[in-house]
Amino acid sequence: MTLRAVVRGVGHYLPARVMPNAEFEATLDTTDDWIRARTGIERRHIAAEGETTSDLAVAAAEAALTDAGLRATDIDALIVATSTADFTFPSAATMVQARLGMTGGFAFDVQAVCAGFVFALAQANALIVSGAARRVMVIGSETFSRLMDWTDRSTCVLFGDGAGALILEAGEGSGTPADRGVLAFDLHSDGRFKDILHVDGGVSTGTTGHLRMQGKEVFRHAVEKLAETAHAALDKAGLSGADVDWIVPHQANLRIISATAQRMQVPMERVVVTVQDHGNTSAASIPLALSVGRDRGQIRPGDLIVTEAIGGGLAWGAVVLRW
Ligand code: UT7
């Protein structure tokens, strides 16, 4: 018998305000056409004043609990992947834990920027297969709108706010790739690339700071590294691109998403794409896409899914799971 971390429920939350590309045309030297053509983004959701990352996370968590038919007290461990926690500390995860009424277990944040959900999913899997936890909720929640320099057209048009949540629970498998649950993962980071994507503020400056990105450089790394890590994770699972039902990629840029799919020899009909509606929601983008993909009827029980992401650090990786 092999212990597997099996998906039990999924949910998401998006702030009410939708900001279409055209809104940028009033304040910046940009166009709806440029943003669509270069990124695939058409609109994004923006958190209301006072609406925080933990608020978004709680709403997504409640949706996932309802989907799973569970109560917060049924969860042993809660991980929030975020780079935009409400405060330096406590963690967003402990704030969400309290708001959900989860009085036992433990909660902590994972900070791997846009790759945060992939890292958190690997961590949740480790907790379950080691027997340390039976049910783990993994949330990706971000308010990147608060990190934007709204005068920088090369970054502020790219990002949005949102949250998604996945509940994993221990299940018995046979130890083969036919099992449901997390089958393999592949994680990397290389801190030498810190300058190409970073926030120029924090405890050392006494400010929140703004996101700064050398877009072309990040693009180059993304196209090269995402297919590589996805292949490595599939290899570890004893599978190949031909076995994939859905790629559920980090949603940063449609050109990166399609270049990665092409390198994996997976047709775009087998890729869950939400970037047009959400923009880049950093660690929230994959759980949002999983939840939306499930709601659209794309992702079904038994489907083989590959998630992959890259972000600041650089940090990148992929997870292979059977839904
Ligand atoms: O989630 C973390 C990972 N992040 C990413 O994956 C983002 C990776 N990078 C990208 O998605 C792309 O590099 C961008 C979308 C950021 C930029 O697209 P690009 O095709 O690489 O454009 P570029 O940076 O080479 O810029 C081309 C031109 C420049 O003008 P010049 O120098 O050729 O005159 C930019 O100043 O486009 C200009 N530009 C814009 N023009 C209109 C940059 N932003 C805009 C804009 N509207 N919003």
Side-chain angles (χ1 to χ4, degrees):
M1 195 271 284
T2 305
L3 263 186
R4 296 287 194 190
V6 180
V7 175
R8 167 82 188 248
V10 65
H12 70 272
Y13 172 78
L14 289 157
R17 176 163 137 65
V18 176
M19 183 179 182
N21 290 346
E23 268 193 47
F24 287 105
E25 294 177 359
T27 53
L28 293 172
D29 181 14
T30 191
T31 60
D32 176 36
D33 282 350
W34 189 95
I35 301 168
R36 277 176 200 250
R38 306 308 293 167
T39 72
I41 298 166
E42 297 172 20
R43 59 191 73 80
R44 72 284 294 138
H45 292 250
I46 302 289
E49 207 179 319
E51 192 177 35
T52 65
T53 291
S54 64
D55 294 331
L56 273 51
V58 166
E62 284 170 346
L65 285 169
T66 302
D67 185 55
L70 294 171
R71 288 174 305 182
T73 46
D74 297 323
I75 305 296
D76 304 320
L78 172 63
I79 307 174
V80 177
T82 189
S83 301
T84 49
D86 305 9
F87 299 104
T88 304
F89 73 78
S91 65
T94 52
M95 293 176 71
V96 173
Q97 181 192 25
R99 295 256 308 270
L100 290 176
M102 178 184 156
T103 46
F106 55 95
F108 59 96
D109 287 358
V110 163
Q111 211 273 46
V113 202
C114 295
F117 190 79
V118 166
F119 278 64
L121 201 50
Q123 189 62 39
N125 179 62
L127 289 171
I128 288 175
V129 300
S130 68
R134 206 181 125 62
R135 288 203 192 98
V136 183
M137 171 129 62
V138 192
I139 305 171
S141 185
E142 301 278 21
T143 47
F144 260 51
S145 63
R146 302 222 162 86
L147 295 178
M148 291 302 112
D149 172 351
W150 290 93
T151 65
D152 176 9
R153 68 176 184 174
S154 72
T155 53
C156 73
V157 303
L158 304 174
F159 292 87
D161 301 333
L166 202 63
I167 297 172
L168 297 158
E169 92 181 342
E172 288 184 12
S174 60
T176 72
D179 289 346
R180 289 189 64 210
V182 175
L183 299 174
F185 59 87
D186 184 62
L187 303 178
H188 300 269
S189 61
D190 190 337
R192 289 175 299 174
F193 296 113
K194 73 174 169 52
D195 291 335
I196 65 172
L197 177 50
H198 68 285
V199 169
D200 60 4
V203 173
S204 62
T205 62
T207 60
T208 305
H210 293 118
L211 183 143
R212 306 293 176 200
M213 178 164 69
Q214 295 170 31
K216 245 188 176 30
E217 271 301 290
V218 177
F219 191 100
R220 197 174 58 74
H221 283 284
V223 169
E224 174 194 302
K225 292 181 166 57
L226 288 173
E228 223 169 74
T229 189
H231 271 136
L234 280 166
D235 220 35
K236 290 179 194 180
L239 296 164
S240 75
D243 299 306
V244 173
D245 290 304
W246 294 103
I247 301 178
V248 183
H250 171 49
Q251 311 279 326
N253 186 319
L254 188 57
R255 288 154 59 215
I256 296 173
I257 293 171
S258 52
T260 304
Q262 198 175 8
R263 284 179 176 226
M264 291 177 68
Q265 296 184 305
V266 174
M268 280 304 282
E269 298 74 58
R270 299 250 140 241
V271 183
V272 176
V273 179
T274 57
V275 70
Q276 70 281 5
D277 296 325
H278 302 162
N280 182 346
T281 57
S282 188
S285 90
I286 289 174
L288 262 167
L290 286 169
S291 183
V292 168
R294 197 284 307 266
D295 291 352
R296 284 179 187 158
Q298 292 176 307
I299 298 172
R300 293 156 189 266
D303 280 356
L304 188 81
I305 291 169
V306 180
T307 64
E308 31 86 347
I310 186 166
L314 294 176
W316 68 100
V319 174
V320 176
L321 70 118
R322 195 174 294 284
W323 195 258

